[in-house]
Amino acid sequence: MSAGAELITAEDPYFRGIGADASLPHCMAIRPLAATSPGGPHIVDLAGGRGWLIYTFMQRHVDPRIIVTEAFWA
């Protein structure tokens, strides 16, 4: 739930650029699912690899959305 809250309140949910995810908790890392598609699905590694979320950000003027397509926790 805290990972979802971080994504929803992020200034840039794709965390583009070097050090753009520096404001995230130390146990979270975000990267594109495919390096060739930086605007496509992204993966959030949680707790040093113990889990992950795969999400896509839909930018809309009125109500931007983050759609989680897969969640895993070991």
Side-chain angles (χ1 to χ4, degrees):
M1 288 223 257
S2 64
E6 292 287 342
L7 292 173
I8 290 168
T9 59
E11 214 171 280
D12 177 8
Y14 284 136
F15 296 91
R16 291 178 276 254
I18 296 171
D21 60 355
S23 63
L24 291 175
H26 71 279
C27 61
M28 289 176 64
I30 295 180
R31 60 186 165 79
L33 196 56
T36 57
S37 181
H42 276 58
I43 186 166
V44 182
D45 292 315
L46 305 169
R50 291 187 59 202
W52 66 79
L53 291 175
I54 297 176
Y55 73 94
T56 303
F57 178 69
M58 293 180 61
Q59 191 163 4
R60 303 183 324 180
H61 293 285
V62 178
D63 185 20
R65 296 215 176 163
I66 291 176
I67 299 171
V68 175
T69 55
E70 185 175 329
F72 175 80
W73 186 261

